[in-house]
């Protein structure tokens, strides 16, 4: 619904709540995006009062018609354009801010703006509003450690993430900041090239495969981007779940670095479809041989 519209009584929301989050107000920066929209969904499911701030300020196409979307206040603001007063009004006075804002591309300044400046502005607005908790979707440390393997323009991406981190810590302190740090995020129903993305079924298979001990050990001994490529990816729902858990106080401050930590925070398990398929095949072969 549009910003400023009347919020429905809490009794009209989902019947099962996390009691500690009933009064929780969560502002999700980038709330119409791939990760941010799913953070909105999971926060609503937990009973929080959710505001999404994004460039469009509209319900994302994949969520059109879903009941949870009507429980979110959708606000338009571009973060790096317009007045700080407008941004502060968009952020409001939440208990916690979750930022899923980021950018990919080939322009160093654009990467710095989308990953760094935008989040620094959000952190400043959160500080002015008296927010004491901030959750930020950043990047896994192993990816950052491999930046020397990447073209120079990626420096804007990593420098932006570091600028955002510093601004968030300055705003809420280390005790109020949680950094969710994935490698490669998969999910949804489609594949994409820019940003690179694979769908849920394919990504889950890759996660399961690369979670096997042999690949984990191989990743441990390989350098740079080879190591990163051998680490299991993480589902967008798990990333959103970790953000939600941090926002609602189920996960403490600090870093959730990599797939295992994110899955644990989200209460997500490693996919098992491939293993189950092989087990079923072995049972059929055994029955046929009997």
């Amino acid at each position: 619904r549009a910003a400023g519209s009347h919020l429905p009584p809490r009794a009209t929301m989902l019947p099962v709540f996390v009691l500690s989050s009933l009064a929780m107000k969560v502002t999700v920066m980038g709330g119409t995006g791939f990760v941010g929209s799913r953070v909105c969904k999971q926060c609503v499911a937990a009973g929080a009062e959710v505001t999404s701030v994004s460039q469009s300020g509209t319900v994302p196409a994949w969520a059109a018609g879903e009941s949870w979307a009507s429980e979110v206040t959708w606000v338009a603001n571009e973060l790096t354009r317009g007045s700080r007063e407008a941004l502060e009004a968009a952020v409001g006075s939440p208990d916690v801010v979750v930022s899923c804002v980021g950018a990919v591309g080939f322009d160093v300044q654009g990467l710095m703006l989308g990953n760094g400046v935008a989040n620094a502005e959000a952190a400043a607005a959160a500080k002015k509003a008296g927010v004491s908790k901030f959750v930020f979707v950043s990047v896994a440390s192993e990816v950052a450690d491999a930046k020397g393997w990447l073209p120079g323009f990626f420096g804007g991406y990593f420098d932006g993430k570091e600028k955002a981190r510093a601004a968030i810590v300055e705003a809420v302190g280390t005790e109020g900041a949680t950094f969710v740090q994935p490698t490669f995020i998969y999910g949804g129903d489609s594949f994409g090239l820019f940003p690179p993305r694979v769908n849920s079924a394919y990504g889950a298979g890759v996660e399961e495969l690369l979670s096997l001990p042999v690949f984990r050990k191989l990743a441990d001994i390989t350098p740079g981007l080879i190591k990163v490529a051998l680490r299991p990816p993480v589902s967008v729902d798990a990333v959103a779940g970790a953000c939600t858990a941090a926002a609602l106080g189920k996960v403490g401050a600090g870093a959730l670095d990599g797939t295992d930590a994110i899955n644990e925070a989200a209460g997500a398990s490693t996919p098992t479809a491939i293993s189950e398929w092989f087990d079923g095949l072995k049972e059929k072969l055994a029955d046929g041989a009997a």
Side-chain angles (χ1 to χ4, degrees), residues 112-187:
M112 188 68 182
L113 186 70
N115 294 290
V117 176
N119 286 298
E121 292 290 341
K127 181 179 181 179
K128 188 166 184 180
V131 173
S132 60
K133 185 184 297 184
F134 200 112
V135 182
F136 177 50
V137 179
S138 186
V139 62
S141 61
E142 288 185 338
V143 178
D145 290 344
K147 63 183 179 182
W149 290 53
L150 295 166
F153 63 81
F154 274 99
Y157 175 86
F158 294 108
D159 290 346
K161 294 292 188 184
E162 283 304 310
K163 180 179 178 69
R165 175 186 287 269
I168 290 163
V169 170
E170 196 279 329
V172 300
T174 55
E175 69 282 358
T178 303
F179 301 98
V180 180
Q181 301 176 191
T183 51
F184 182 85
I185 305 175
Y186 69 85

Side-chain angles (χ1 to χ4, degrees), residues 22-23 45 56 71-72 105 109 124 162 182 192 194 200-201 216 226 237-239 245 252-254 258 266:
L22 281 176
S56 69
E71 300 290 346
V72 177
Q109 293 303 315
E162 283 304 310
F194 198 78
S200 293
R216 289 184 178 273
I226 302 173
D237 292 322
V239 175

Side-chain angles (χ1 to χ4, degrees), residues 6 10 15 33 61 64 68 78 91 105 135-136 138 147 156 176 260-261 275 277:
H6 179 65
R10 302 311 294 170
W68 67 265
E78 293 192 40
V91 170
V135 182
F136 177 50
S138 186
K147 63 183 179 182
D260 289 343
S275 299
W277 184 85

Side-chain angles (χ1 to χ4, degrees), residues 96-274:
V96 57
V97 171
V98 180
S99 180
C100 305
V101 173
V104 295
F106 305 101
D107 176 64
V108 173
Q109 293 303 315
L111 290 170
M112 188 68 182
L113 186 70
N115 294 290
V117 176
N119 286 298
E121 292 290 341
K127 181 179 181 179
K128 188 166 184 180
V131 173
S132 60
K133 185 184 297 184
F134 200 112
V135 182
F136 177 50
V137 179
S138 186
V139 62
S141 61
E142 288 185 338
V143 178
D145 290 344
K147 63 183 179 182
W149 290 53
L150 295 166
F153 63 81
F154 274 99
Y157 175 86
F158 294 108
D159 290 346
K161 294 292 188 184
E162 283 304 310
K163 180 179 178 69
R165 175 186 287 269
I168 290 163
V169 170
E170 196 279 329
V172 300
T174 55
E175 69 282 358
T178 303
F179 301 98
V180 180
Q181 301 176 191
T183 51
F184 182 85
I185 305 175
Y186 69 85
D189 298 324
S190 60
F191 290 79
L193 291 176
F194 198 78
R197 188 168 297 153
V198 299
N199 68 16
S200 293
Y202 186 92
V206 175
E207 181 182 354
E208 181 180 357
L209 184 66
L210 294 183
S211 295
L212 295 173
V214 62
F215 288 106
R216 289 184 178 273
K217 291 177 181 178
L218 186 59
D220 287 342
I221 62 173
T222 53
L225 283 182
I226 302 173
K227 179 189 294 292
V228 172
L230 290 171
R231 292 301 188 200
V234 63
S235 78
V236 65
D237 292 322
V239 175
C243 290
T244 301
L248 302 184
K250 299 178 183 179
V251 175
L256 300 174
D257 193 8
T259 297
D260 289 343
I262 291 170
N263 280 343
E264 182 179 359
S269 301
T270 301
T272 58
I274 296 176

